[in-house]
Amino acid sequence: MKERKVSNETIRRLALYLRCLRKLLKSNINIVSSNQISDTLNVSSEQFRKDLSYFGSLGKRGVGYRVDTLIRHLEKIFGIDEECNIIVVGAGKLGSALVAYPGFMNFNFRIVAAFDIDRKKIGRVWEGVKIESIDRISDIVKKHKVHLAMLTVPAESAQIIAEKLVKCGIKGILNFAPVNLELPESVSLLNVDMATELMTLRYLSGKPCRG
Amino acid sequence: MKERKVSNETIRRLALYLRCLRKLLKSNINIVSSNQISDTLNVSSEQFRKDLSYFGSLGKRGVGYRVDTLIRHLEKIFGIDEECNIIVVGAGKLGSALVAYPGFMNFNFRIVAAFDIDRKKIGRVWEGVKIESIDRISDIVKKHKVHLAMLTVPAESAQIIAEKLVKCGIKGILNFAPVNLELPESVSLLNVDMATELMTLRYLSGKPCRG
């Protein structure tokens, strides 16, 4: 089913479609047109149809999409039917926010541990998630078959910790540290860069910060 | 200078170039080629040249770019020479992480206040930033000439709070709530959606979560 040419942007949009469709289903909407999705998500209906077409189309022209079928289809693309164990590396304020973030559970992600080097934090339990010494990463990654990590350490140590994660078998890193990591091509890397987003917003809104 | 056709993705990359160039300058690197930038940031050198060309090219073929000139150029594009006051709306764990986030200051962003409805939090000071009652938004936005807000309230209240922000004169919202906000077109909206990023990473890394 996996199509090599699908861009990260398409995958992100598919995830948004899934969230939107689930919300529609909760409101007892069973059939949806591409125009309705388009209006809700600010994505053109052509884009919506194109994104879905990478994985086989499911709609009928003039009839629309069955919401439940489309949800199952998207869940299958993302492998959501099975639980995905993840870890948070860096138990600072951002790490603590991620551990408490309610949005991951809806997509069957489970944070199995957080890691830090600060002895004062190690052993604490946040929202049922234990903070472990960073020396225990390898054991815990193996034990819980973890392949994905969220990296929330300071910028200065992000590269060295990311390399450690790769050595432990991590295959994908969601990096929150404001730094460009250099990793083997076999490892997937996405960056959540708050300052860059804010800069982009500042530009888009016409640089009105000058008052 | 502002070119209408420039995409959000281009703007995001320009922000990344700026960070990268500043790092080079710190390491006393004064001239850089598009290939060097390309290797560091995993962006093709063609893309780098194209992104810069929207705002007038500055490099010479075979000679490269002066790092300091390029930094000043990018800083001007983003209006970084002047301080930009911002607010955080929602003083939960994520809000507290954003208030403490060290990466904003480098780009001349200043968080002037955080807001919440929880009486127990109001009046506290985090990292020099006071938590105010959400009823005070309008006054503070006016007083500090704030045009940008980071929204970290729960998904259920995000739409209503976002509308309140727009009424108070906010022109750009960085939304962290996992919900699709509907706002007037005059307001710029960017979403930082952690669950979507994690889903994308799960897909990219070949859905290995199944162990």
Side-chain angles (χ1 to χ4, degrees), chain A residues 2-15 17 47 50-51 54-55 77-78 190, chain B residues 9 196 199-201 203-204:
Chain A
K2 192 166 169 180
E3 167 82 47
R4 281 285 151 201
K5 282 175 292 178
V6 182
S7 72
N8 290 8
E9 287 311 307
T10 293
I11 300 301
R12 269 196 199 95
R13 282 192 301 267
L14 290 172
Y17 302 153
Q47 184 73 65
K50 192 181 165 197
D51 289 339
Y54 287 112
F55 300 92
I77 290 170
F78 286 107
L190 289 179
Chain B
E9 286 310 307
T196 302
M199 295 261 285
T200 307
L201 190 68
Y203 178 86
L204 293 176

Side-chain angles (χ1 to χ4, degrees), chain B residues 84-103:
Chain B
C84 181
N85 289 341
I86 55 176
I87 54 173
V88 172
V89 183
K93 285 195 171 155
L94 188 56
S96 115
L98 290 173
V99 166
Y101 187 68

Side-chain angles (χ1 to χ4, degrees), chain A residues 52-68:
Chain A
L52 286 183
S53 73
Y54 287 112
F55 300 92
S57 183
L58 288 171
K60 280 184 197 164
R61 191 168 285 271
V63 177
Y65 299 84
R66 279 195 56 138
V67 176
D68 58 351

Side-chain angles (χ1 to χ4, degrees), chain A residues 2 8 12 19 41 77-79 82 84 93 107 127 147 180 193 197 202-204 208-210, chain B residues 2 8 12 19 41 79 82 84 93 107 127 147 180 193 197 202-205 207-210:
Chain A
K2 192 166 169 180
N8 290 8
R12 269 196 199 95
R19 172 178 293 144
L41 292 180
I77 290 170
F78 286 107
E82 301 197 30
C84 180
K93 286 194 169 155
F107 297 108
E127 317 274 333
H147 292 82
N180 311 300
D193 188 330
E197 292 299 320
R202 181 178 186 165
Y203 178 85
L204 293 175
C209 319
R210 298 176 183 199
Chain B
K2 192 164 171 183
N8 290 8
R12 269 197 197 96
R19 174 180 290 145
L41 292 180
E82 299 195 33
C84 181
K93 285 195 171 155
F107 297 107
E127 316 273 333
H147 291 82
N180 312 300
D193 187 332
E197 292 298 320
R202 181 177 186 165
Y203 178 86
L204 293 176
S205 62
K207 294 175 278 167
C209 319
R210 299 176 180 200

